Amino acid sequence: MTEPDVLDLWEHSVREHADGPALVTPHRVLTYRDADRLTDAWAAFLAERGAGPGELVGLAFGDPARTVLGMLAALKAGAGFTVLDDRLPPAARTALVARTAAAVWLGDGAHAPEGAHVPHGPAEDADATEPARPVRRAGGSDVAYVLFTSGSTGRPKGTVIERDALRRFAAAVANRLELTPHDRWLQVASLGFDVLIEEVFPAFAAGAAVVCREDTRALDAEELHVALARTRITVVELSTQYWLEYARWLDGNGTAAPETLRTVVVGGERMDPVPYRRWQARQSAALAHVYGLTECTVSSTFYTGLLPSDAEEVPLGTALQDVEISIRQDGRPVPDGGTGEIHIGGPLLARGFLDDEEATAGRFVPDPYAARPDARVYRTGDLGRIGPDGQLVFLGRVDDQVKIRGHRLEPARVERALCEDGGVGQAVVFPDPETGTALWAFTVPADPATAPPPGEAVRLTGADRDALVAPLEAQLPDWAVPRVLYRVSVLPKNPHGKVDKRRLATWAAAAASPTPAAPASAPASAPAAPGSGGCGPEPLGTVLALFREVLDAPALGPDDNFFDHGGQSLLALRLLARLRESRPAASGLRASALFTAPTPRLLADALAARAVAHP
């Protein structure tokens, strides 16, 4: 008997929904029959060039739809696939191409390696004969895909996912989200990011349609809203920050998400309960809060319930089928309700890291508590607990725990308490970097109009400080109450997406200095620009400061290109959101503006022109 394969899910959908839409693009709709014939032809093309079990097919298309077709074709050839992120700088792309040692590359994007092919097939020729699929068939333990984690620092790790894990994952997500052939899932994730897998394979397993955009450019909130409505999307997956931007845009415009949208999958960062409840109260589309890692085949847990009014955290949910979640300290399971490191086990775990046995052994460890002798668990490095209702709750990173005057403290506890104040939108708490004996707190006001300029910290004193400290003193021990509090416009992130506490400390030090230095090339006292509508100094100083903040590039100059310094879709959205808070002329500016004005000077000129046109 042939063992189950991920392609069985695809073939079932082809048989049951041959004339239903499988892949929707701005220019055409491919039915399951069309897509099946086309990818059969592509698979034959790949097999002729050496693709097969144990090999990789590299994909470097600028078109998301061709990328999806390439993934299917590689699997049909028996091979795995890897997707080259078009946002990587040339040197990093070259290094990843060399590391993957793909048998063949498909692609037509500007980032495609030399010699990449663009195959054609019968779906582009109605009179073509039925192609023959390659006869070689892979096993469940053969590679399905390799995707790389962020390479901002150090050497990116290639995670190897096997075909059986992909099959189980696709079926489990389709079941958990109750996907049907009537669903339409919008593909918005960056190509090369593991969310792409979650956008595609569960939909195909259910006979649903994957709706692709024309290119990989980021959609701002308004563009996303228009795309959701125009293409009648029922399911979309957004990162936490992206979803917050969209929710804020809906609230600001007094509108609702499109009626066809039934589920928004959200994950990637800790979720604040306040906007989560606000969405559930105002929008008809359900939220699915997910948690997972690339090393465990994307999402491992889903929370789809209505958040209780007394919940202090949005749960991560319960495990998917074939996923095993446990909480452990020093490798040993903790009692029910105890806090510890989240461990993930089960057949959805990756094989390991590509050509990195040491890193694989450090994170994928034997599980002495499992019934199977060869069982492994993945050490996530995340702190959590499983509540009485069986829901997994995220409590931060294992290394976030701090010690204050002999007491162990989870900063998230204090941060949640600070955010209970209606005037605080975000907060981060950590020990003072000099002595480590007192807590500092940095807060972002809920009202952007009350925030200090970007890159500055204002120390709270008097009534402002007392208003935040008094409630904490009423519920926390003395040692857990921050004694030094600052207000900032944003919590800066480091290249790993974590709050950059070192930069916050630098801002605090500058606040204590009587003569803080103005940013190079951007005098804070620059004269007002003509046509600026009375909005204050020339916008170049503001724009440059925000470029530096968002890109974490203090030395960035006014003529440096956003995309040459690590800029990407979410960072572009973040930059424009920050600009709108301080520059009225940025209202309505789209993320696509950065493609025509990618430097601080060009964008400042564009803002000045908009201010003249719309005073």
Side-chain angles (χ1 to χ4, degrees):
M1 181 176 178
T2 304
E3 65 177 309
D5 185 70
V6 62
L7 288 177
D8 295 340
L9 302 175
W10 169 260
E11 290 166 1
H12 178 269
S13 292
V14 171
R15 289 193 303 270
E16 298 297 321
H17 312 291
D19 296 320
L23 198 61
V24 179
T25 78
H27 306 293
R28 67 180 304 179
V29 175
L30 289 177
T31 66
Y32 271 89
R33 180 185 291 110
D34 292 337
D36 193 50
R37 294 177 65 234
L38 175 57
T39 50
D40 277 354
W42 282 25
F45 177 93
L46 292 171
E48 290 172 0
R49 287 157 180 78
E55 300 288 345
L56 286 177
V57 171
L59 303 173
F61 290 108
D63 174 9
R66 283 179 176 262
T67 301
V68 173
L69 292 169
M71 294 191 297
L72 272 174
L75 293 172
K76 286 186 174 185
F81 60 84
T82 189
V83 183
L84 189 61
D85 193 333
D86 60 357
R87 303 167 302 171
L88 291 174
R93 291 201 302 265
T94 300
L96 290 190
V97 169
R99 285 180 60 190
T100 55
V104 57
W105 278 90
L106 301 181
D108 58 2
H111 62 299
E114 185 176 356
H117 302 276
V118 183
H120 300 285
E124 299 168 15
D125 180 357
D127 298 324
T129 58
E130 196 76 17
R133 183 179 303 174
V135 296
R136 288 185 291 177
R137 190 123 165 145
S141 60
D142 282 313
V143 60
Y145 65 84
V146 174
L147 291 182
F148 288 85
T149 56
S150 173
S152 300
T153 59
R155 188 172 185 249
K157 290 183 173 64
T159 301
V160 183
I161 301 295
E162 297 177 348
R163 295 174 76 101
D164 187 59
L166 179 56
R167 174 185 68 85
R168 292 171 182 268
F169 169 76
V173 174
N175 180 64
R176 179 63 68 94
L177 293 180
E178 300 180 343
L179 300 179
T180 76
H182 301 293
D183 278 309
R184 297 164 69 89
W185 194 317
L186 181 64
Q187 195 284 305
V188 295
S190 300
L191 305 184
F193 185 38
D194 66 350
V195 172
L196 173 68
I197 304 299
E198 190 156 83
E199 294 173 322
V200 171
F201 290 96
F204 286 161
V210 176
V211 180
C212 289
R213 297 172 292 126
E214 189 164 14
D215 54 39
T216 60
R217 292 186 180 186
L219 300 174
D220 66 20
E222 184 176 355
E223 291 170 326
L224 172 66
H225 184 71
V226 170
L228 293 171
R230 185 184 67 246
T231 56
R232 306 186 310 281
I233 297 301
T234 63
V235 183
V236 66
E237 182 159 0
L238 307 174
S239 70
T240 305
Q241 291 300 320
Y242 195 1
W243 171 77
L244 285 170
E245 288 293 329
Y246 181 48
R248 188 178 296 118
W249 183 87
L250 290 175
D251 288 345
N253 286 272
T255 190
E259 292 183 0
T260 55
L261 186 65
R262 71 173 184 86
T263 301
V264 182
V265 183
V266 184
E269 294 184 59
R270 175 188 171 270
M271 173 67 73
D272 190 326
V274 174
Y276 200 89
R277 289 194 188 94
R278 184 182 299 122
W279 176 282
Q280 291 188 323
R282 300 181 182 182
Q283 305 294 339
S284 60
L287 292 175
H289 190 218
V290 299
Y291 165 77
L293 301 98
T294 304
E295 294 87 348
C296 305
T297 314
V298 204
S299 297
S300 296
T301 66
F302 279 65
Y303 176 71
T304 55
L306 190 65
L307 189 65
S309 59
D310 61 346
E312 296 181 347
E313 293 285 344
V314 180
L316 301 179
T318 56
L320 283 178
Q321 182 179 345
D322 291 324
V323 173
E324 300 165 5
I325 301 291
S326 60
I327 307 298
R328 307 186 184 193
Q329 285 185 353
D330 299 323
R332 296 186 295 274
V334 303
D336 292 346
T339 296
E341 184 179 5
I342 300 171
H343 286 60
I344 301 177
L348 268 63
L349 289 191
R351 179 189 299 171
F353 299 118
L354 182 68
D355 299 329
D356 195 337
E357 294 182 3
E358 182 178 355
T360 298
R363 303 299 291 189
F364 297 86
V365 299
D367 186 2
Y369 301 98
R372 303 184 310 276
D374 59 343
R376 303 175 302 155
V377 286
Y378 182 76
R379 298 172 51 245
T380 67
D382 290 327
L383 196 68
R385 69 167 181 270
I386 297 177
D389 55 358
Q391 302 285 348
L392 178 65
V393 177
F394 176 75
L395 299 174
R397 290 290 296 175
V398 170
D399 53 9
D400 277 348
Q401 196 175 69
V402 298
K403 203 169 188 179
I404 298 292
R405 304 205 301 263
H407 301 276
R408 302 201 68 84
L409 173 71
E410 300 299 336
R413 180 185 179 191
V414 186
E415 291 160 3
R416 287 195 300 270
L418 283 166
C419 289
E420 289 175 2
D421 183 284
V424 176
Q426 293 176 283
V428 66
V429 172
F430 56 91
D432 80 90
E434 291 295 327
T435 67
T437 60
L439 287 177
W440 282 9
F442 290 79
T443 63
V444 177
D447 181 3
T450 65
E456 293 185 16
V458 174
R459 184 158 180 177
L460 300 182
T461 58
D464 287 342
R465 177 187 178 279
D466 294 342
L468 291 179
V469 169
L472 302 184
E473 291 178 328
Q475 58 179 302
L476 298 173
D478 176 76
W479 51 267
V481 176
R483 296 303 171 185
V484 178
L485 291 88
Y486 290 92
R487 180 179 293 147
V488 294
S489 61
V490 67
L491 299 180
K493 302 293 180 65
N494 61 27
H496 302 288
K498 306 301 181 183
V499 175
D500 192 336
K501 298 171 184 175
R502 182 174 298 178
R503 288 186 66 198
L504 286 172
T506 300
W507 294 355
S513 171
T515 55
S521 305
S525 58
S532 64
C535 298
E538 176 187 321
L540 179 57
T542 298
V543 175
L544 179 57
L546 289 176
F547 266 65
R548 291 172 172 175
E549 173 189 302
V550 169
L551 295 174
D552 191 26
L556 191 86
D559 298 306
D560 287 333
N561 190 295
F562 179 82
F563 301 100
D564 290 344
H565 290 266
Q568 37 92 343
S569 59
L570 185 56
L571 292 180
L573 293 174
R574 188 176 302 164
L575 174 64
L576 292 179
R578 297 287 294 114
L579 272 172
R580 293 187 189 109
E581 294 172 2
S582 58
R583 308 300 306 180
S587 177
L589 200 66
R590 304 289 181 85
S592 54
L594 279 170
F595 289 93
T596 54
T599 72
R601 192 184 306 279
L602 290 174
L603 191 57
D605 290 344
L607 288 173
R610 287 171 65 88
V612 171
H614 306 284

